[in-house]
Amino acid sequence: MNLSAWLKAAMASLCIGFALLAAAQGNLEINTPAIAALKQSMQQRHAQLAPLYAAGVVGLAADGTVTLRDVSSLPLANRAQANALVAAENADRAALYREIARANGRPEWETEVRKTFAQRWIERAQPGWWVQRGGAWVQK
């Protein structure tokens, strides 16, 4: 599966997983223009992040963020770009979690949304990517 297909599948799975969780608590509509824009932004950025995942420079953290793990393998000139990509990705992820909760009229669900997404990101990580489990980094 190529990275674009993986990201689409992961996003669909995340939405379905959360929809199932939410359905148990009520009939929720989570497909808003804001959510779609965030997903598109994240999908576009994924092409730049994928080589960093593969190289172990970044990993998927247990808190639903992307974390710089090992920048030592990056040339100094590329480190600022990696930092910017991670910062932008984490900003979009935080906005996505918040927007899903808000769009459902349940802002108090943000923490649960984050947890659900964090689990799904890690489950869907490609072999060789680094993920955080139990506070430790492991290569999937």
Side-chain angles (χ1 to χ4, degrees), residues 9-127:
M11 289 297 238
S13 176
L14 291 170
C15 289
I16 290 167
F18 182 68
L20 292 173
L21 172 68
Q25 300 173 6
N27 184 13
L28 304 173
E29 173 58 47
I30 61 171
N31 292 322
T32 68
I35 291 169
L38 288 163
K39 288 179 181 179
Q40 182 178 7
S41 175
M42 292 168 69
Q43 186 173 6
Q44 289 172 346
R45 185 179 309 105
H46 185 72
Q48 295 173 290
L49 283 170
L52 300 176
Y53 287 125
V57 173
V58 297
L60 298 169
D63 67 357
T65 62
V66 173
T67 302
L68 284 169
R69 287 189 55 260
D70 180 15
V71 295
S72 65
S73 63
L74 281 180
L76 190 56
N78 295 7
R79 292 179 187 177
Q81 181 185 16
N83 277 317
L85 285 170
V86 167
E89 180 69 10
N90 286 335
D92 278 356
R93 284 176 180 230
L96 179 66
Y97 307 147
R98 186 174 45 253
E99 184 60 29
I100 288 172
R102 189 177 69 80
N104 287 304
R106 303 298 297 258
E108 69 276 11
W109 285 2
E110 185 176 343
T111 300
E112 289 306 313
V113 171
R114 176 182 288 274
K115 286 178 186 176
T116 299
F117 272 64
Q119 291 170 352
R120 299 291 178 158
W121 293 126
I122 290 170
E123 287 172 9
R124 301 278 186 222
Q126 292 190 359

